[in-house]
Amino acid sequence: MSFFNLITTPTPKIHSCDNVDIIINELINCDIISSGRGDKKINYYNIPCAFDIETTSFYERDEKKAIMYVWQLGLNGHVVVGRTWCEFINLIDKLVEKLNLSHSKRLVIYVHTLSYEFQFMRKWLKFNEVFAIDSRKVVKAVTIDGIEFRCSYILTGKSLKKVGDDLNKYKIQKMVGDLDYNLMRNCNTILSKKELMYCINDVRVVMALIQEKIETDGNIAKIPLTKTSYVRRLVRNACLFKSEKTHKGNTANKQFKTYKNLMSDLTIDGASEYHLLKRAFQGGYTHASPFYVDEVCVNVGSIDFTSSYPYVMLSELFPMSSGKKVNVNSTYIFNDYLKKYCCIFDIKFYNLKSKVNYDYYISSSKCFEKSNVVECNGRVVSADYITTTITDIDFDIIKKHYTWDKIALGTFYIYKRGRLPFEIIDCILKLYEDKTTLKGVKDKELDYLLSKELLNACYGMIVTDICREEQIYENDEWQEPTLLNYDEKINDYNNDFKRFLFYPWGLYVTAYARRNLWLGIDEFGHTYDYIYSDTDSIKCLNPIKHLQFIEQYNILVEKKLKRAAEFYNIDFNRYQPSTIKGEKKLIGVWDNEGNKDTYIAYKAFKTLGAKRYMVLDNKYELSLTVSGLNKKITVPYLIKKYGKYGSFQHFNDNLYIEKSATGKQTHTYIDTEINGTIADYNGVSAEYHEKSYIHLEESDYSLGLNQDFIDFVERIKIIIM
């Protein structure tokens, strides 16, 4: 039976551990592909495999415990189900023997959220290679005998349900709600057909995903480990290895040399400059106007930028030289550097005070020295002094919105200004063209989704930290991270043969985006129509009153892009591709998210601060955005308890969400071995044995606001009352 027929059948056959020989014999004849050369050459079975477990957490004499009660292993469309770790280990041993697996001949098995399963199975199997990008955040784990587990969540950045929704060829949906996680289960618990289908569909979704990746990427060895690896590979190849002639007529070999010469001029001057860059880095700006905190606003507009980060990469000037450390001992020299160079520097402000009261730019958490600071939800309103690290773009924003008595400058680096390399610009434009022209086109859904994801990842690849702590797993245990040798890491970065990016670029991408956002905040704030902003969008009152600003801003965007197009000798139409309906979509402009005529997006909107808001949209659907709450669970709970309109009234400082309605779980990693006997919810007992595990516990949620923030909001509202 073909993979397509196996994976799409509505009633798949479930295999037990006793009848897997037929499956294994089928796998023996599957294609094997090679990757690497010489000693690094590895052969892979070119098939989709997936693994998943279901667990139960409980307390026993106040001790947190958890056990696995069923596992599912997907093998090229087939699904094997077992109930104990011993069964799983026996099956793995059989696969290793029959498929002749080894370090150089591997079977890749994908696991969605591998970090979770790894904590349960890590002492049952012997691993000789574990790659993690953060504490216990496992990307890949390879056993000594050739089983290579990879994380499909880190590959996609999507929930399993979203993965199922986005499948293009092999349509498998994750089942939702058919397994009650509150029921105590063990390996002897009888699972209903519906519960078993819920379990096996999880691995079927992952197998379908990997088969689609095999077909689109070429083979399983070409599937990268992380989501950003796709765009990194695309842009790296364009910068270094593109085969056709470049825009200047260079051959590929000449292009490689030219680009590497550029990279040799873009280096970081050791740990001191690196730490300065890290201090200066800030992400998107997210905040609420204190005037409208805890207020129900009606008829609210919403505008957002079309691809904010890609736009500034296309249109702005960036550091295009290695940094030069300079001494700044006069106001004239300071202003001259700001005018002529990209500047990144430490600065101390004395007697700092905000000029405006509708929002505050400086983040208190980015100040490494401060005294007598007045804050508004983490933003600096005033201070006796603060010391922070900023770019020249940040300084321009601060100068417009704050006053101070004097400043003192510390470490100061300057960089020549220039546009990003043509090869990177060309990639961004191609992705934006595909995202725009392919949206809604039949049979191009996969290409559209891919281009959209890659476009959004263009920024992320630039700001990947170049000095990460290594997560070391040896002798079945996680080891304490060793102190980083920053100079050594930075030297490796500078001399990396395949490097095609420069970390300081990322600082300026977000700085320019914040500047553009603040143009909108100022426009709406001066008339007290500004309510809330988040990275690339603004929620506002009376949007129609501000159409002239939106139109003028969009004209400015067009002018800047035309200058960029002229510089690169690129057809300007690439910056404004047409949709399937023939509508031109210029990148970077303000876009209306609301009604076409009124610009109203929400019947009602209420915020309690950054990443905390509730909306009632034009279709009278209630939605909630609160970090730490699952809106798909919490919103129905609120509606049932308070009603749609009552939910707005109760969305305040006193809101309490019960454990069962948050969708939030506390993870406790436990590394000690446990044994015992436990009865399930039907009274059926079974022995259990775990060598390490994760205890999950539902968490309640209290929407508490900081008292200083509450007091500040009450004082500031007097101004417009």
Side-chain angles (χ1 to χ4, degrees):
M1 185 180 291
S2 69
F3 177 83
F4 181 87
N5 291 329
L6 273 171
I7 204 70
T8 57
T9 178
T11 54
K13 182 179 179 181
I14 302 172
H15 301 267
S16 70
C17 295
D18 297 328
N19 64 347
V20 296
D21 288 340
I22 295 176
I23 300 174
I24 294 176
N25 289 334
E26 179 184 303
L27 299 183
I28 292 173
N29 297 316
C30 289
D31 290 340
I32 296 175
I33 53 94
S34 298
S35 176
R37 296 178 180 178
D39 295 339
K40 294 184 178 180
K41 182 179 178 180
I42 298 174
N43 295 314
Y44 292 97
Y45 278 90
N46 195 34
I47 57 175
C49 300
F51 178 64
D52 183 47
I53 65 174
E54 299 296 342
T55 67
T56 288
S57 295
F58 59 97
Y59 278 89
E60 195 169 69
R61 294 184 294 276
D62 295 327
E63 182 181 356
K64 292 181 177 181
K65 294 186 175 182
I67 59 173
M68 182 275 294
Y69 63 85
V70 63
W71 55 261
Q72 308 83 241
L73 180 62
L75 299 167
N76 199 29
H78 300 278
V79 180
V80 182
V81 176
R83 305 301 298 269
T84 68
W85 285 116
C86 289
E87 289 177 319
F88 179 66
I89 300 306
N90 288 337
L91 176 53
I92 291 295
D93 289 343
K94 187 176 288 189
L95 286 168
V96 169
E97 178 186 357
K98 298 291 186 180
L99 300 180
N100 194 27
L101 300 180
S102 65
H103 173 75
S104 59
K105 186 180 182 183
R106 300 182 186 178
L107 181 70
V108 178
I109 300 175
Y110 279 87
V111 185
H112 214 67
T113 62
L114 175 58
S115 299
Y116 187 80
E117 270 77 4
F118 183 77
Q119 175 64 8
F120 276 86
M121 67 182 176
R122 66 185 182 84
K123 294 185 179 181
W124 291 100
L125 298 169
K126 191 68 177 176
F127 293 91
N128 65 354
E129 180 186 345
V130 177
F131 172 53
I133 55 176
D134 206 343
S135 177
R136 297 185 185 262
K137 193 172 183 180
V138 182
V139 180
K140 181 177 77 171
V142 186
T143 68
I144 59 173
D145 41 20
I147 301 291
E148 181 174 319
F149 294 97
R150 296 183 189 175
C151 183
S152 53
Y153 175 76
I154 292 175
L155 171 65
T156 62
K158 301 175 184 177
S159 68
L160 199 54
K161 183 181 185 309
K162 181 63 174 169
V163 168
D165 291 341
D166 289 346
L167 289 171
N168 185 54
K169 181 177 180 181
Y170 304 104
K171 298 290 188 180
I172 304 293
Q173 289 289 322
K174 173 176 170 54
M175 300 175 71
V176 178
D178 291 328
L179 193 67
D180 187 348
Y181 284 94
N182 294 316
L183 297 179
M184 180 67 213
R185 296 182 176 87
N186 59 40
C187 64
N188 288 336
T189 302
I190 296 175
L191 300 176
S192 68
K193 183 177 180 180
K194 184 179 287 188
E195 289 172 330
L196 272 175
M197 281 299 299
Y198 176 98
C199 296
I200 69 170
N201 255 36
D202 283 1
V203 293
R204 294 175 77 223
V205 168
V206 175
M207 279 192 289
L209 164 74
I210 300 307
Q211 182 60 29
E212 289 192 357
K213 293 287 186 186
I214 289 173
E215 293 175 16
T216 56
D217 292 10
N219 59 59
I220 200 162
K222 292 182 179 179
I223 302 174
L225 290 178
T226 66
K227 182 179 179 180
T228 56
S229 296
Y230 276 107
V231 72
R232 185 178 295 274
R233 183 167 62 191
L234 174 74
V235 180
R236 178 192 287 118
N237 287 341
C239 291
L240 302 179
F241 309 117
K242 197 171 183 180
S243 59
E244 65 263 27
K245 290 184 177 181
T246 68
H247 68 299
K248 294 181 180 179
N250 294 333
T251 62
N253 185 51
K254 194 172 180 181
Q255 176 194 347
F256 179 84
K257 291 180 179 179
T258 301
Y259 203 94
K260 290 313 297 178
N261 287 337
L262 170 66
M263 287 294 105
S264 67
D265 291 334
L266 300 177
T267 57
I268 295 174
D269 183 26
S272 176
E273 183 185 359
Y274 167 77
H275 289 303
L276 180 81
L277 296 172
K278 289 291 289 183
R279 291 196 302 272
F281 173 75
Q282 297 183 58
Y285 184 88
T286 303
H287 210 236
S289 169
F291 294 123
Y292 296 107
V293 169
D294 203 19
E295 300 287 340
V296 177
C297 302
V298 297
N299 295 326
V300 173
S302 179
I303 59 172
D304 71 340
F305 290 122
T306 304
S307 301
S308 175
Y309 287 174
Y311 160 69
V312 298
M313 294 171 72
L314 295 173
S315 62
E316 301 293 351
L317 301 179
F318 292 84
M320 291 303 294
S321 72
S322 296
K324 179 181 178 182
K325 189 175 183 180
V326 296
N327 292 319
V328 182
N329 48 28
S330 73
T331 301
Y332 173 81
I333 293 175
F334 178 51
N335 290 331
D336 193 53
Y337 282 148
L338 293 177
K339 182 180 179 181
K340 295 178 179 177
Y341 297 94
C342 289
C343 303
I344 302 174
F345 51 95
D346 292 329
I347 186 168
K348 190 169 188 175
F349 295 95
Y350 292 89
N351 195 22
L352 183 79
K353 294 179 181 178
S354 177
K355 294 180 185 179
V356 300
N357 52 29
Y358 45 80
D359 213 341
Y360 310 95
Y361 181 76
I362 299 174
S363 173
S364 181
S365 65
K366 299 299 291 185
C367 302
F368 54 90
E369 291 180 345
K370 51 191 172 184
S371 173
N372 196 26
V373 177
V374 176
E375 294 184 18
C376 173
N377 198 205
R379 298 284 166 176
V380 176
V381 179
S382 64
D384 287 350
Y385 66 80
I386 61 164
T387 308
T388 187
T389 310
I390 59 176
T391 68
D392 53 292
I393 307 301
D394 296 307
F395 183 78
D396 285 343
I397 302 171
I398 293 170
K399 182 170 62 175
K400 186 177 179 181
H401 297 94
Y402 289 88
T403 63
W404 56 83
D405 287 348
K406 62 178 181 178
I407 60 173
L409 299 172
T411 305
F412 203 110
Y413 275 80
I414 61 173
Y415 308 77
K416 292 179 182 178
R417 286 180 179 146
R419 295 192 182 274
L420 294 179
F422 168 86
E423 291 78 10
I424 293 177
I425 299 300
D426 190 46
C427 284
I428 294 172
L429 286 174
K430 179 63 169 66
L431 293 171
Y432 182 66
E433 287 174 295
D434 287 348
K435 173 193 170 186
T436 305
T437 59
L438 298 179
K439 185 176 183 179
V441 178
K442 188 178 180 181
D443 297 328
K444 292 293 183 179
E445 295 86 356
L446 190 61
D447 293 333
Y448 162 72
L449 287 173
L450 181 60
S451 61
K452 181 180 178 181
E453 291 171 4
L454 293 180
L455 180 66
N456 293 336
C458 283
Y459 155 74
M461 69 176 176
I462 302 176
V463 292
T464 300
D465 197 347
I466 61 179
C467 292
R468 282 183 178 173
E469 283 187 337
E470 290 187 41
Q471 306 297 319
I472 300 173
Y473 185 82
E474 290 179 346
N475 301 319
D476 297 334
E477 298 294 346
W478 291 104
Q479 308 300 313
E480 285 295 322
T482 56
L483 291 176
L484 280 177
N485 185 327
Y486 288 101
D487 287 322
E488 183 179 297
K489 288 278 187 182
I490 293 163
N491 185 63
D492 291 342
Y493 168 84
N494 289 337
N495 295 301
D496 184 354
F497 185 70
K498 292 185 178 181
R499 182 168 68 88
F500 62 102
L501 299 170
F502 190 38
Y503 184 77
W505 293 344
L507 278 65
Y508 276 79
V509 173
T510 55
Y512 284 126
R514 291 192 300 272
R515 179 203 61 190
N516 295 343
L517 184 71
W518 264 82
L519 293 174
I521 291 173
D522 287 336
E523 165 67 20
F524 290 94
H526 284 304
T527 55
Y528 298 107
D529 288 334
Y530 164 66
I531 302 172
Y532 184 87
S533 61
D534 188 349
T535 308
D536 62 356
S537 69
I538 289 178
K539 316 302 179 188
C540 57
L541 298 172
N542 304 309
I544 292 294
K545 283 171 46 180
H546 303 273
L547 287 185
Q548 185 178 0
F549 159 76
I550 294 172
E551 290 169 359
Q552 289 177 342
Y553 178 87
N554 291 350
I555 290 172
L556 177 63
V557 167
E558 185 175 2
K559 288 181 179 179
K560 294 178 78 168
L561 290 174
K562 282 183 176 178
R563 285 200 298 267
E566 184 179 354
F567 174 84
Y568 292 112
N569 193 24
I570 293 174
D571 182 358
F572 181 69
N573 285 320
R574 295 189 65 191
Y575 295 83
Q576 52 173 5
S578 297
T579 66
I580 190 175
K581 297 179 180 179
E583 178 187 359
K584 289 186 176 182
K585 296 287 287 185
L586 184 65
I587 192 169
V589 296
W590 283 114
D591 204 5
N592 172 26
E593 290 189 292
N595 179 277
K596 181 180 179 181
D597 299 318
T598 66
Y599 271 60
I600 300 302
Y602 311 118
K603 298 295 183 184
F605 180 96
K606 185 178 184 181
T607 180
L608 300 179
K611 300 294 184 182
R612 292 179 171 188
Y613 60 86
M614 176 178 283
V615 304
L616 190 69
D617 66 20
N618 286 333
K619 295 180 180 179
Y620 293 92
E621 294 293 327
L622 191 70
S623 183
L624 175 70
T625 298
V626 175
S627 181
L629 291 180
N630 184 331
K631 61 184 176 183
K632 293 181 179 179
I633 298 174
T634 304
V635 169
Y637 162 83
L638 292 174
I639 292 175
K640 182 178 180 180
K641 188 171 183 178
Y642 302 117
K644 283 185 180 180
Y645 307 106
S647 295
F648 273 89
Q649 179 183 350
H650 288 87
F651 181 61
N652 55 32
D653 182 41
N654 300 314
L655 181 65
Y656 172 78
I657 309 293
E658 300 170 8
K659 290 182 178 181
S660 60
T662 64
K664 181 181 179 182
Q665 290 185 315
T666 300
H667 290 56
T668 305
Y669 285 79
I670 299 173
D671 298 321
T672 54
E673 194 167 351
I674 56 172
N675 295 277
T677 303
I678 191 75
D680 70 6
Y681 69 98
N682 288 318
V684 178
S685 294
E687 293 184 356
Y688 65 83
H689 179 200
E690 297 292 346
K691 296 185 177 184
S692 58
Y693 54 95
I694 296 175
H695 179 273
L696 296 178
E697 186 173 14
E698 289 183 334
S699 302
D700 57 2
Y701 189 94
S702 295
L703 194 62
L705 301 182
N706 180 280
Q707 188 59 48
D708 290 340
F709 180 42
I710 295 172
D711 295 341
F712 180 86
V713 167
E714 290 178 351
R715 290 196 305 271
I716 202 74
K717 284 181 180 179
I718 296 173
I719 295 173
I720 61 171
M721 286 181 63

